[in-house]
């Protein structure tokens, strides 16, 4: 995956009309395939931006409040699903932190 492809995966996966957040808010559950693609794209960008002092503004926007994408009221999803989302949120936040470090 190229840097440009990785950026597009993240933009679509976190900011797009059919993003992870939109699907979760529509009570469609976590799109595992899209989530995995976003994590893979972050790995590509870790290498691409390893020696950079900054990242594109739109990429920074995609990561803004990313942990809140996975937080819902108790009646939205089962406890098991909410635990799965919490784990996904922690994994995504960790990957983003590693990218930005």
């Amino acid at each position: 995956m190229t840097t440009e492809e990785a950026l597009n995966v993240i933009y679509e996966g976190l900011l797009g009309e059919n993003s992870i957040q939109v699907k979760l808010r529509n009570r469609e559950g976590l799109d595992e395939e899209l989530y995995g693609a976003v994590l893979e794209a972050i790995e590509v960008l870790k290498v691409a931006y390893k020696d950079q002092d900054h990242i594109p503004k739109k990429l920074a926007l995609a990561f803004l409040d990313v942990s809140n994408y996975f937080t819902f009221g108790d009646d939205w999803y089962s406890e098991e699903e909410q635990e799965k989302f919490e784990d996904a949120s922690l994994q995504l936040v960790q990957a983003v932190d590693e990218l930005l470090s």
Side-chain angles (χ1 to χ4, degrees), residues 61-72:
L61 173 65
F63 296 142
L64 191 64
D65 289 333
V66 73
S67 64
N68 288 329
Y69 293 1
F70 299 88
T71 305
F72 303 94

Side-chain angles (χ1 to χ4, degrees), residues 10-22:
I10 291 173
Y11 297 155
E12 289 301 314
L14 299 180
L15 299 174
E17 291 180 19
N18 291 309
S19 67
I20 292 168
Q21 179 181 12
V22 169

Side-chain angles (χ1 to χ4, degrees), residues 46 52 54-55 59-60 63 94-101:
K46 284 181 190 179
Q52 302 287 327
H54 62 278
I55 62 172
L59 181 60
F63 296 142
Q94 182 179 357
V96 170
D97 185 50
E98 290 170 3
L99 169 64
L100 300 177
S101 306

